[in-house]
Amino acid sequence: MNTRERETIQRYRKTFPNDTLKTISFKTGIQLTRVFRIMNGKPMKVSELEVFENILGQRLGQNKRIMEFENIVKLAALDLTVRDIETIISYIERKLENNKIIKQVVTNHISENLIA
Amino acid sequence: MKITSIERFVLETIENEAKTFKEILTESGLQENVCFNTLQALVIKNIIATNGLHYFINKNLPREMVEKINSNRFKKQESMELIENFLNTSADDFVITKVALNDKDQKIFRAMLKNLDSFVKDCHLKTKKEVFYKDRTLVFWGMAKTENIIKEMVG
């Protein structure tokens, strides 16, 4: 495994510390046994490296958006009317409630195998 | 007490009948576990009841609860959610326009909307037993003075 591959795997483990091998296999589309080998230092194919780097890139993008969201909420609290704030709260609450029902679906179907 | 839009879908699927899980699942078009979780949430909220096989709307709901669930505030939030998702899925079919209508044209247009309303209600009564909930067509209409909208937006 070269330096870039090693660093990518390290960044992945840091970003997703609780991901099991099965979860990594599910996320990347790479076979479970192959994931095991990669996590234990076997060289990756170019396509496999790209998959890991894409996932990390998306997560970085998500983190930026989360920071933007937090900043804008602070601005909104200072600037908007109570009525507008209530509308936004209701909107987010509805999204969260719908998400709860849908996410319960997903977590019920992923069985956890912890990384050793 | 408020209900989510998904809970509303399930309630509207059940309507005034007693339906099995399979019937609700088929007719609502929801994914199996989403349907199951929603039914559980409605049972916990005591809005629907079950005899183990069939689900039905609780006829003994306190009036205040029914009024709250159907309050204008929550209906407005659900409407906004429906329109948002309509735009996400069928934006090309959405028409919104600021039209110059004189008083006469406004009267004509209101009469047309009233006819449309009657037509839609008649169609619904006629065919609601034949058409599954998920196959129903979402329609919406309305008109308002642009000035009022601007005032609302700008304050």
Side-chain angles (χ1 to χ4, degrees):
Chain A
M1 190 175 260
N2 66 34
T3 314
R4 183 176 163 186
E5 289 170 15
R6 207 174 296 116
E7 276 172 4
T8 302
I9 295 302
Q10 278 172 1
R11 270 195 304 135
Y12 188 95
R13 279 185 177 254
K14 231 178 164 179
T15 309
F16 303 101
N18 297 323
D19 272 8
T20 62
L21 295 179
K22 205 169 178 181
T23 308
I24 297 170
S25 172
F26 178 74
K27 271 182 178 173
T28 59
I30 299 169
Q31 269 200 341
L32 186 58
T33 46
R34 183 85 188 121
V35 168
F36 177 81
R37 289 196 188 105
I38 290 168
M39 290 296 139
N40 285 284
K42 281 281 177 211
M44 286 193 256
K45 296 178 203 171
V46 171
S47 57
E48 289 166 343
L49 180 63
E50 274 176 4
V51 165
F52 277 101
E53 286 184 341
N54 279 341
I55 292 172
L56 286 167
Q58 276 173 26
R59 179 58 170 237
L60 185 67
Q62 269 175 16
N63 286 345
K64 268 191 194 159
R65 294 303 263 169
I66 288 168
M67 273 173 58
E68 274 174 35
F69 178 69
E70 286 170 349
N71 287 338
I72 217 162
V73 163
K74 285 177 193 161
L75 278 174
L78 292 170
D79 251 1
L80 296 183
T81 63
V82 170
R83 198 164 143 218
D84 282 342
I85 290 171
E86 276 174 4
T87 303
I88 293 167
I89 289 173
S90 300
Y91 179 83
I92 295 173
E93 275 177 347
R94 293 193 88 86
K95 287 280 184 191
L96 287 171
E97 279 161 14
N98 284 342
N99 223 35
K100 208 164 72 171
I101 293 178
I102 296 160
K103 269 197 168 168
Q104 275 173 345
V105 173
V106 175
T107 52
N108 283 346
H109 284 298
I110 295 177
S111 57
E112 294 297 299
N113 295 318
L114 294 174
I115 297 174
Chain B
M1 149 101 50
K2 72 174 172 196
I3 59 169
T4 67
S5 297
I6 299 176
E7 286 169 343
R8 175 90 58 194
F9 293 157
V10 168
L11 286 176
E12 288 176 345
T13 302
I14 296 171
E15 226 171 4
N16 295 321
E17 299 178 40
K19 292 191 175 172
T20 63
F21 175 73
K22 200 176 176 189
E23 283 169 332
I24 298 167
L25 183 67
T26 308
E27 293 176 31
S28 66
L30 290 169
Q31 290 172 312
E32 187 171 346
N33 289 3
V34 172
C35 186
F36 180 78
N37 291 335
T38 308
L39 282 168
Q40 295 301 99
L42 286 168
V43 167
I44 288 166
K45 287 179 185 176
N46 212 22
I47 296 173
I48 64 173
T50 178
N51 59 12
L53 183 64
H54 292 93
Y55 292 90
F56 42 90
I57 292 179
N58 181 0
K59 299 267 188 275
N60 300 319
L61 271 178
R63 198 166 145 202
E64 308 91 55
M65 203 176 176
V66 176
E67 278 171 4
K68 251 192 175 168
I69 289 168
N70 292 328
S71 70
N72 283 338
R73 190 171 149 232
F74 294 145
K75 283 199 159 175
K76 190 174 124 186
Q77 288 170 8
E78 285 174 44
S79 299
M80 280 165 64
E81 209 179 328
L82 286 171
I83 293 176
E84 183 197 344
N85 286 295
F86 182 95
L87 289 169
N88 286 341
T89 55
S90 316
D92 290 345
D93 294 330
F94 184 79
V95 176
I96 187 165
T97 180
K98 299 168 200 75
V99 178
L101 295 175
N102 60 29
D103 286 342
K104 189 181 165 197
D105 290 338
Q106 278 202 40
K107 280 189 180 143
I108 294 171
F109 189 66
R110 279 188 200 282
M112 287 169 113
L113 287 185
K114 216 173 171 189
N115 283 343
L116 179 66
D117 187 51
S118 297
F119 172 74
V120 163
K121 282 185 173 135
D122 286 343
C123 285
H124 182 66
L125 281 171
K126 202 175 55 178
T127 49
K128 71 176 185 176
K129 298 268 181 209
E130 302 161 25
V131 177
F132 282 163
Y133 184 79
K134 66 180 167 88
D135 297 322
R136 288 187 190 176
T137 305
L138 178 71
V139 295
F140 46 89
W141 64 86
M143 59 189 278
K145 269 191 124 174
T146 304
E147 183 188 12
N148 293 342
I149 305 294
I150 292 171
K151 269 189 190 155
E152 176 66 24
M153 283 174 79
V154 171

